[in-house]
Amino acid sequence: MRLTTPTRRLRSAALIGGAALSLVLTGFGAPAAAVPADSAAAPVSPHTTGADDNAPPRAVVPARAATAAGGAGFSGTTGSGALTPSTSPAVTGARAPGAGLSGGFGADSVIGTDNRTRVNPTTTYPTSAIVQIIRVDGSTTWGCTGWVYGPNIIATAGHCVHPGGGADGGGGNGFYPRANYTIVPARNGGTNPYGTCTATQLMSVNGWMADGSADYDYGAIRLSCNAGASTGTFGFWWQSASLNGTATTVSGYPCDKTFGEQWRHAGMSVTSTAARRVYYQNDTAGCQSGAPVYQNRAAGSSFCVGQCTMAIHAYGGSSNSGTRITEPVYNNLISWRG
């Protein structure tokens, strides 16, 4: 299903089994109720956060946050590398690449020649901090990608945790059911170097949950494990200046490859910077939604040093794109991290 935007972007969470999506329109054709002028409610910010358990975020400012004029950042950690290997979970349902919402199978997100390379092994930082997100709904399996940015939390695309646009995913507060998730840090085909985790909280923002806007398509999953201590964590930053020309790497778990393999495309750069989106030519495919768009920033760089994320991959098209980490996105990620 294509999104009817000027760039014809495609949502990059892919349906691996067979399922139908329906769009629920609310209030169509109904007259708006009059609101007294002295009691009009203030508009809700698109960055207002929500969680599947309705719990408020735990606001903590990390000691490593670096703030300067025009931006702020948070540097990551390399982790201990301690392994807890296990066999990868079985995937239910027949695999059908390209079905449902695909994030650019074929030419939609592979731009020209496919320049992705498989990451093997996956235990070298920072690819150790990239996770496969598996959501099983009956006989249907969905795939997404996320990145570890705290001891027990990952960032991902909003549409990986909530259907958006006011739709109900069947779990708490309209999110997808938390119990349906398995998160596999650094999965490598049939093996899990760091074991598996479950979800203990799903989070996103009003701009995605209520409005379904691609500009606010971001979220997070709190984990049952402290994977970040072993895998390491990504840093991330925001800056008011354009990101054009900034080096980019995108790595994740595409569903046009063997399920559970991590694939990466490095050596590209940002081609266009919008207020809330970043565009690049890195090759991707469905199920890479939520992958980090990152670069290795040298010592002395502003805001963030080391492996640092600038955007959260979410859509495919003639240029692939992700949700830009702006100041409000950054503040939410920090708040959710706790």
Side-chain angles (χ1 to χ4, degrees), residues 252-277:
Y253 289 88
C255 285
D256 65 334
K257 303 294 187 179
T258 299
F259 195 68
E261 291 181 353
Q262 188 178 151
W263 287 73
R264 173 177 58 203
H265 186 189
M268 306 303 289
S269 60
V270 174
T271 58
S272 179
T273 305
R276 287 177 286 274
R277 300 201 64 72

Side-chain angles (χ1 to χ4, degrees), residues 4-16:
T4 55
T5 61
T7 57
R8 297 178 64 83
R9 296 186 294 265
L10 291 171
R11 188 182 300 176
S12 318
L15 177 62
I16 311 224

Side-chain angles (χ1 to χ4, degrees), residues 247-251 264-268 282 292-296 310:
T248 54
T249 296
V250 181
S251 191
R264 173 177 58 203
H265 186 189
M268 306 303 289
N282 304 72
V293 183
Y294 67 98
Q295 71 164 179
N296 188 4
M310 69 194 82

Side-chain angles (χ1 to χ4, degrees), residues 40 42 66 90 101 108 112 120 136 187 193 214 222 261-262 269 280 289 299 306 309 320 324 328:
L101 295 171
D108 287 317
N120 185 22
V136 177
R187 182 174 177 177
R222 199 175 306 283
E261 291 181 353
Q262 188 178 151
S269 60
Y280 38 86
S289 279
T309 302
N320 293 319
R324 182 180 178 182

Side-chain angles (χ1 to χ4, degrees), residues 14-335:
L15 177 62
I16 311 224
L21 286 180
S22 61
L23 299 179
V24 179
L25 304 180
T26 59
F28 183 79
V35 178
D38 60 354
S39 64
V44 178
S45 166
H47 290 287
T48 296
T49 67
D52 67 333
D53 57 2
N54 285 312
R58 296 173 286 176
V60 175
V61 178
R64 291 187 300 279
T67 304
F74 175 84
S75 296
T77 62
T78 57
S80 69
L83 303 178
T84 53
S86 65
T87 301
S88 291
V91 177
T92 60
R95 182 187 155 134
L101 295 171
S102 67
F105 288 101
D108 287 317
S109 284
V110 173
I111 302 164
T113 302
D114 188 349
N115 291 297
R116 293 172 295 169
T117 58
R118 184 182 173 189
V119 179
N120 185 22
T122 57
T123 51
T124 301
Y125 178 79
T127 52
S128 56
I130 297 173
V131 308
Q132 184 181 36
I133 300 170
I134 302 168
R135 179 170 65 86
V136 177
D137 183 6
S139 62
T140 303
T141 300
W142 296 77
C144 269
T145 300
W147 44 283
V148 184
Y149 76 95
N152 64 347
I153 194 167
I154 61 172
T156 189
H159 66 258
C160 292
V161 295
H162 193 289
D168 187 350
N173 202 22
F175 285 79
Y176 295 118
R178 185 196 311 166
N180 293 355
Y181 284 84
T182 301
I183 293 89
V184 190
R187 182 174 177 177
N188 190 9
T191 62
N192 309 323
Y194 303 98
T196 64
C197 311
T198 58
T200 63
Q201 188 181 39
L202 308 177
M203 293 159 282
S204 189
V205 294
N206 188 67
W208 176 253
M209 295 186 298
D211 302 332
S213 171
D215 283 343
Y216 304 97
D217 192 351
Y218 69 100
I221 302 176
R222 199 175 306 283
L223 306 178
S224 62
C225 60
N226 289 323
S230 297
T231 65
T233 61
F234 274 92
F236 53 99
W237 90 100
W238 74 271
Q239 63 182 53
S240 56
S242 171
L243 289 161
N244 287 4
T246 304
T248 54
T249 296
V250 181
S251 191
Y253 289 88
C255 285
D256 65 334
K257 303 294 187 179
T258 299
F259 195 68
E261 291 181 353
Q262 188 178 151
W263 287 73
R264 173 177 58 203
H265 186 189
M268 306 303 289
S269 60
V270 174
T271 58
S272 179
T273 305
R276 287 177 286 274
R277 300 201 64 72
V278 175
Y279 297 86
Y280 38 86
Q281 298 288 295
N282 304 72
D283 294 324
T284 65
C287 298
Q288 281 189 255
S289 279
V293 183
Y294 67 98
Q295 71 164 179
N296 188 4
R297 293 170 67 81
S301 297
S302 299
F303 314 128
C304 182
V305 172
Q307 304 294 344
C308 302
T309 302
M310 69 194 82
I312 302 170
H313 177 68
Y315 297 93
S318 56
S319 283
N320 293 319
S321 66
T323 305
R324 182 180 178 182
I325 298 181
T326 59
E327 184 175 14
V329 176
Y330 174 86
N331 288 339
N332 276 338
L333 290 174
I334 292 293
S335 180

